[in-house]
Amino acid sequence: MTFFHQAPAVYTGAVYLNVLDLNAMKDFYTGTIGFRVLSEMDHRIELTADGKTPLLVLESRVGLHPKRPNRSGLYHFAILLPSREDLGAAALHFIRQGVRMGASDHYVSEALYLNDPEGNGIEVYRDRPADDWNWNGGLVDMATVALDMDGVVRSAQEAGRTWNGLPSETVMGHVHLHVSDLEETERFYRDGLGFEVVASYPGTLFMSTACYHHHLGLNVWNGEGIQAQEKDSAGLKAYTLVFPDTEAIRKAVEQLCAIGAEVSEEEGQIVAADPSGIRLILQAIA
């Protein structure tokens, strides 16, 4: 686990997806992405990399409909691998599986992009060493340029790294969301949850804690003022933010209430909704 995904940082944990075909999605996320099943019930499957921590939860129920376009919700969730060699092994695996994917170098990281069978975006990436990130006035230098795919693949081959599923050190690196209003959303995460803006581009903000390059990506690429995704829609149900302890959660709840955010307790979990109706679970480190 990286410094940026442990206390005292507040970081992304498990992502919850409503899915239409539970068995097909299980096959994809285990066979193609490389998760392992942590627990399985009739309508719910928890997936893990380390055999202990859920990183992705698939849920299915009667009455779900496919995602509608131009709604708030998930742009992608991002699976952070431990090393460049692991990313190279994943790239070779995806190529051999015939997976359609994109690839980018973001200066701070190298990334692969693909979609699951129901159109949910996935990023699989590795971070460059934090000492190599370029900071200027509290903002980190990021861009989207061509990935040196040959170099990434060669790193795995030279290390003799082969694909055996997601390494146990894999974490949920960040989530990137379609939102309806950047200014309102920034206020929610900044004033309510203590995140800071670390990069911005037209229509996009990146926010983090502990000077990570980003735990959250926020964009209005689906349009400003878009409607919230319906609760009976497939796609993102919720995602988790992990806090150092219950006191940190108590403080966050106070701050969220002070700015008028919606906060509730559901089945023993503290759940908030951002200005676009995206639900997040506030969880203390176990």
Side-chain angles (χ1 to χ4, degrees), residues 40-53:
E40 184 170 2
M41 295 179 285
D42 286 345
H43 302 291
R44 188 175 192 270
I45 298 174
E46 291 185 329
L47 299 171
T48 183
D50 65 5
K52 300 177 294 183
T53 308

PDB file of all heavy atoms in Angstrom, residues 40-53:
ATOM      1  N   GLU A  40     -19.599 -14.142  -1.919  1.00  0.00           N
ATOM      2  CA  GLU A  40     -20.585 -14.231  -2.994  1.00  0.00           C
ATOM      3  C   GLU A  40     -21.917 -14.671  -2.436  1.00  0.00           C
ATOM      4  O   GLU A  40     -22.010 -15.661  -1.704  1.00  0.00           O
ATOM      5  CB  GLU A  40     -20.113 -15.217  -4.069  1.00  0.00           C
ATOM      6  CG  GLU A  40     -21.023 -15.314  -5.265  1.00  0.00           C
ATOM      7  CD  GLU A  40     -20.410 -16.114  -6.408  1.00  0.00           C
ATOM      8  OE1 GLU A  40     -19.292 -16.629  -6.244  1.00  0.00           O
ATOM      9  OE2 GLU A  40     -21.057 -16.202  -7.469  1.00  0.00           O
ATOM     10  N   MET A  41     -22.959 -13.904  -2.779  1.00  0.00           N
ATOM     11  CA  MET A  41     -24.335 -14.247  -2.453  1.00  0.00           C
ATOM     12  C   MET A  41     -25.144 -14.188  -3.736  1.00  0.00           C
ATOM     13  O   MET A  41     -24.598 -13.900  -4.804  1.00  0.00           O
ATOM     14  CB  MET A  41     -24.886 -13.293  -1.389  1.00  0.00           C
ATOM     15  CG  MET A  41     -24.173 -13.398  -0.043  1.00  0.00           C
ATOM     16  SD  MET A  41     -24.813 -12.258   1.197  1.00  0.00           S
ATOM     17  CE  MET A  41     -24.105 -10.714   0.605  1.00  0.00           C
ATOM     18  N   ASP A  42     -26.437 -14.452  -3.639  1.00  0.00           N
ATOM     19  CA  ASP A  42     -27.272 -14.518  -4.840  1.00  0.00           C
ATOM     20  C   ASP A  42     -27.199 -13.248  -5.670  1.00  0.00           C
ATOM     21  O   ASP A  42     -27.153 -13.298  -6.900  1.00  0.00           O
ATOM     22  CB  ASP A  42     -28.728 -14.793  -4.462  1.00  0.00           C
ATOM     23  CG  ASP A  42     -28.948 -16.234  -4.023  1.00  0.00           C
ATOM     24  OD1 ASP A  42     -28.056 -17.067  -4.274  1.00  0.00           O
ATOM     25  OD2 ASP A  42     -30.002 -16.507  -3.426  1.00  0.00           O
ATOM     26  N   HIS A  43     -27.185 -12.092  -5.011  1.00  0.00           N
ATOM     27  CA  HIS A  43     -27.273 -10.831  -5.745  1.00  0.00           C
ATOM     28  C   HIS A  43     -26.115  -9.890  -5.433  1.00  0.00           C
ATOM     29  O   HIS A  43     -26.192  -8.701  -5.761  1.00  0.00           O
ATOM     30  CB  HIS A  43     -28.598 -10.133  -5.423  1.00  0.00           C
ATOM     31  CG  HIS A  43     -29.802 -10.962  -5.740  1.00  0.00           C
ATOM     32  ND1 HIS A  43     -30.162 -11.263  -7.036  1.00  0.00           N
ATOM     33  CD2 HIS A  43     -30.692 -11.593  -4.938  1.00  0.00           C
ATOM     34  CE1 HIS A  43     -31.252 -12.024  -7.018  1.00  0.00           C
ATOM     35  NE2 HIS A  43     -31.583 -12.239  -5.762  1.00  0.00           N
ATOM     36  N   ARG A  44     -25.038 -10.407  -4.839  1.00  0.00           N
ATOM     37  CA  ARG A  44     -23.949  -9.520  -4.427  1.00  0.00           C
ATOM     38  C   ARG A  44     -22.626 -10.284  -4.410  1.00  0.00           C
ATOM     39  O   ARG A  44     -22.541 -11.376  -3.844  1.00  0.00           O
ATOM     40  CB  ARG A  44     -24.239  -8.967  -3.030  1.00  0.00           C
ATOM     41  CG  ARG A  44     -23.300  -7.872  -2.539  1.00  0.00           C
ATOM     42  CD  ARG A  44     -23.817  -7.360  -1.196  1.00  0.00           C
ATOM     43  NE  ARG A  44     -23.165  -6.148  -0.775  1.00  0.00           N
ATOM     44  CZ  ARG A  44     -22.054  -6.104  -0.042  1.00  0.00           C
ATOM     45  NH1 ARG A  44     -21.481  -7.238   0.348  1.00  0.00           N
ATOM     46  NH2 ARG A  44     -21.522  -4.952   0.319  1.00  0.00           N
ATOM     47  N   ILE A  45     -21.602  -9.701  -5.024  1.00  0.00           N
ATOM     48  CA  ILE A  45     -20.276 -10.308  -5.047  1.00  0.00           C
ATOM     49  C   ILE A  45     -19.250  -9.250  -4.649  1.00  0.00           C
ATOM     50  O   ILE A  45     -19.222  -8.151  -5.217  1.00  0.00           O
ATOM     51  CB  ILE A  45     -19.926 -10.850  -6.446  1.00  0.00           C
ATOM     52  CG1 ILE A  45     -20.908 -11.948  -6.853  1.00  0.00           C
ATOM     53  CG2 ILE A  45     -18.494 -11.383  -6.480  1.00  0.00           C
ATOM     54  CD1 ILE A  45     -20.729 -12.431  -8.281  1.00  0.00           C
ATOM     55  N   GLU A  46     -18.420  -9.576  -3.652  1.00  0.00           N
ATOM     56  CA  GLU A  46     -17.310  -8.719  -3.262  1.00  0.00           C
ATOM     57  C   GLU A  46     -16.038  -9.243  -3.918  1.00  0.00           C
ATOM     58  O   GLU A  46     -15.741 -10.444  -3.836  1.00  0.00           O
ATOM     59  CB  GLU A  46     -17.118  -8.713  -1.743  1.00  0.00           C
ATOM     60  CG  GLU A  46     -18.231  -8.025  -0.974  1.00  0.00           C
ATOM     61  CD  GLU A  46     -17.917  -7.956   0.511  1.00  0.00           C
ATOM     62  OE1 GLU A  46     -17.229  -8.863   1.017  1.00  0.00           O
ATOM     63  OE2 GLU A  46     -18.354  -6.998   1.168  1.00  0.00           O
ATOM     64  N   LEU A  47     -15.289  -8.345  -4.536  1.00  0.00           N
ATOM     65  CA  LEU A  47     -14.060  -8.709  -5.224  1.00  0.00           C
ATOM     66  C   LEU A  47     -12.869  -8.058  -4.539  1.00  0.00           C
ATOM     67  O   LEU A  47     -12.950  -6.930  -4.049  1.00  0.00           O
ATOM     68  CB  LEU A  47     -14.132  -8.278  -6.688  1.00  0.00           C
ATOM     69  CG  LEU A  47     -15.270  -8.923  -7.498  1.00  0.00           C
ATOM     70  CD1 LEU A  47     -15.391  -8.280  -8.865  1.00  0.00           C
ATOM     71  CD2 LEU A  47     -15.067 -10.424  -7.627  1.00  0.00           C
ATOM     72  N   THR A  48     -11.751  -8.748  -4.537  1.00  0.00           N
ATOM     73  CA  THR A  48     -10.580  -8.328  -3.777  1.00  0.00           C
ATOM     74  C   THR A  48      -9.309  -8.618  -4.562  1.00  0.00           C
ATOM     75  O   THR A  48      -9.306  -9.436  -5.486  1.00  0.00           O
ATOM     76  CB  THR A  48     -10.545  -9.070  -2.424  1.00  0.00           C
ATOM     77  OG1 THR A  48      -9.439  -8.624  -1.650  1.00  0.00           O
ATOM     78  CG2 THR A  48     -10.417 -10.583  -2.634  1.00  0.00           C
ATOM     79  N   ALA A  49      -8.234  -7.956  -4.176  1.00  0.00           N
ATOM     80  CA  ALA A  49      -6.914  -8.279  -4.708  1.00  0.00           C
ATOM     81  C   ALA A  49      -6.073  -9.015  -3.677  1.00  0.00           C
ATOM     82  O   ALA A  49      -5.280  -9.885  -4.022  1.00  0.00           O
ATOM     83  CB  ALA A  49      -6.195  -7.009  -5.160  1.00  0.00           C
ATOM     84  N   ASP A  50      -6.247  -8.651  -2.391  1.00  0.00           N
ATOM     85  CA  ASP A  50      -5.390  -9.224  -1.352  1.00  0.00           C
ATOM     86  C   ASP A  50      -6.051 -10.349  -0.557  1.00  0.00           C
ATOM     87  O   ASP A  50      -5.444 -10.901   0.361  1.00  0.00           O
ATOM     88  CB  ASP A  50      -4.914  -8.131  -0.390  1.00  0.00           C
ATOM     89  CG  ASP A  50      -6.050  -7.485   0.414  1.00  0.00           C
ATOM     90  OD1 ASP A  50      -7.208  -7.939   0.296  1.00  0.00           O
ATOM     91  OD2 ASP A  50      -5.764  -6.526   1.167  1.00  0.00           O
ATOM     92  N   GLY A  51      -7.302 -10.694  -0.894  1.00  0.00           N
ATOM     93  CA  GLY A  51      -7.986 -11.754  -0.171  1.00  0.00           C
ATOM     94  C   GLY A  51      -8.616 -11.305   1.129  1.00  0.00           C
ATOM     95  O   GLY A  51      -9.244 -12.117   1.829  1.00  0.00           O
ATOM     96  N   LYS A  52      -8.507 -10.016   1.457  1.00  0.00           N
ATOM     97  CA  LYS A  52      -9.061  -9.495   2.712  1.00  0.00           C
ATOM     98  C   LYS A  52      -9.918  -8.251   2.517  1.00  0.00           C
ATOM     99  O   LYS A  52     -10.943  -8.101   3.170  1.00  0.00           O
ATOM    100  CB  LYS A  52      -7.918  -9.149   3.689  1.00  0.00           C
ATOM    101  CG  LYS A  52      -7.019 -10.307   4.066  1.00  0.00           C
ATOM    102  CD  LYS A  52      -5.894  -9.845   4.979  1.00  0.00           C
ATOM    103  CE  LYS A  52      -4.938  -8.907   4.253  1.00  0.00           C
ATOM    104  NZ  LYS A  52      -3.795  -8.496   5.114  1.00  0.00           N
ATOM    105  N   THR A  53      -9.491  -7.377   1.622  1.00  0.00           N
ATOM    106  CA  THR A  53     -10.099  -6.064   1.485  1.00  0.00           C
ATOM    107  C   THR A  53     -10.960  -5.990   0.232  1.00  0.00           C
ATOM    108  O   THR A  53     -10.448  -6.197  -0.873  1.00  0.00           O
ATOM    109  CB  THR A  53      -9.008  -4.978   1.393  1.00  0.00           C
ATOM    110  OG1 THR A  53      -8.105  -5.120   2.488  1.00  0.00           O
ATOM    111  CG2 THR A  53      -9.624  -3.586   1.391  1.00  0.00           C
TER     112      THR A  53
END
